[in-house]
Structures are given as C-alpha cells and as structure tokens.
Amino acid sequence: MTLFGRTLGAEEIASLVFMSMTLVLWLFAFRGERRWARWFNHREAERKALREAAEKAETPRDPETPRGPWS
C-alpha cells in the first residue's frame, strides 16, 4: 500500500488501524461523558426547581399582600 508516495509495510498499516480504533473508542467515550454531563445538569436543574417550589409553598403569605393583576 502506498500513502503519500511512501510504501507502507504490515507494521505501519497495523499501527494506523490501531490508532484509528483508539480514536473511535475515545470518541465514543467522550460522547458518553457528554451525555452523562447533560443528564446530570438536567437532573440538578429539576431538583433545584422542585426544592424552590417546595420552599415557596412552605413560606406563609401575608393576606394583606396583593396577589394578582386585579389587586
């Protein structure tokens, strides 16, 4: 096999194949890491929203405070 005018032997071809396989494996691992990070951030945002809603529901409201556009 000739690549860029140089004849490659079996060792060079095997090296290129293994480096390509390593790159593909690294890309799949990176993709999984990004997916996990997105899932974790989404989960934390949901937990924060639920926690804030619960805290807001627990705080007593002042009956004198207007509660809408009609007030």
Side-chain angles (χ1 to χ4, degrees):
M1 176 177 184
T2 304
L3 182 65
F4 300 116
R6 179 183 164 158
T7 304
L8 299 178
E11 295 85 17
E12 286 100 359
I13 293 172
S15 177
L16 287 173
V17 168
F18 287 127
M19 284 193 298
S20 298
M21 288 174 28
T22 304
L23 177 63
V24 169
L25 181 65
W26 184 84
L27 288 174
F28 276 109
F30 182 66
R31 185 183 68 166
E33 183 68 24
R34 280 191 328 175
R35 187 177 295 157
W36 182 85
R38 284 183 191 152
W39 171 82
F40 185 78
N41 290 336
H42 181 70
R43 178 178 167 260
E44 287 300 310
E46 285 180 349
R47 288 181 63 210
K48 182 181 178 185
L50 288 174
R51 185 173 49 246
E52 288 175 353
E55 288 175 358
K56 187 175 181 181
E58 289 177 358
T59 56
R61 276 190 253 138
D62 186 16
E64 299 297 322
T65 307
R67 291 184 10 187
W70 55 88
S71 301

